[in-house]
Amino acid sequence: MDKPQISGNTIIIPSSTRFLADVDEFVEGLLRDWGTSASVIADIAISVSELVNNAVVHGNKASPNGVVTVSMRREGDTVTIDVADEGTGFNPAEIDDPLKEENLLKEVGRGIFIVEQLMDKVDIAVSKRGTTISISKAIA
């Protein structure tokens, strides 16, 4: 795969951060179609961008053979977005607390924390086939 593929409410991108703009355009466009406010779109866009970046860099280890899949669905007034990579996964319990004194000046390690602050719900599922992070937020 050398370019993003869109099918319905799903976009699949090659494992490269150069496709972040494609994901952002896809996600924001669908949210606008669903009548989402600009501030909620911003929260979701920041979260998805962070998760896709993590999926490429940490999940797929930037492998040119990997892909990242972003799927969106709306159930009532809530949108849920799944971001899936093909990596070996991670243990969420081992993520450093970015608020601890020894972690305050680290340049990395805040992605999941930021997403948890912006979204209503964050679920992390790790399997041998990769990690899927599901985020949900009320959009109305």
Side-chain angles (χ1 to χ4, degrees):
M1 172 186 284
D2 61 349
K3 63 181 183 178
Q5 295 178 358
I6 295 174
S7 176
N9 294 345
T10 299
I11 182 170
I12 302 171
I13 63 166
S15 192
S16 169
T17 56
R18 69 185 168 112
F19 298 107
L20 283 171
D22 296 285
V23 172
D24 191 54
E25 181 179 333
F26 171 79
V27 169
E28 290 190 26
L30 203 47
L31 290 170
R32 277 192 297 276
D33 289 348
W34 290 342
T36 309
S37 71
S39 66
V40 172
I41 289 175
D43 287 350
I44 293 172
I46 291 167
S47 298
V48 171
S49 181
E50 186 63 42
L51 294 177
V52 170
N53 189 62
N54 283 350
V56 168
V57 174
H58 301 296
N60 291 343
K61 311 288 186 217
S63 166
N65 299 321
V67 299
V68 175
T69 302
V70 178
S71 300
M72 300 175 62
R73 62 186 176 279
R74 180 179 180 176
E75 297 167 303
D77 292 334
T78 299
V79 65
T80 299
I81 302 170
D82 299 328
V83 178
D85 65 42
E86 300 175 321
T88 56
F90 69 101
N91 182 351
E94 294 178 357
I95 298 173
D96 290 334
D97 180 350
L99 300 179
K100 283 190 171 180
E101 182 73 28
E102 65 268 21
N103 299 325
L104 291 178
L105 298 178
K106 287 184 177 178
E107 294 182 13
V108 296
R110 292 175 179 78
I112 295 294
F113 176 79
I114 291 168
V115 171
E116 289 174 335
Q117 303 311 304
L118 295 173
M119 301 301 293
D120 297 337
K121 184 176 178 188
V122 177
D123 291 316
I124 301 172
V126 179
S127 74
K128 292 181 179 178
R129 297 183 313 170
T131 300
T132 299
I133 300 182
S134 299
I135 57 176
S136 299
K137 188 166 184 86
I139 59 172

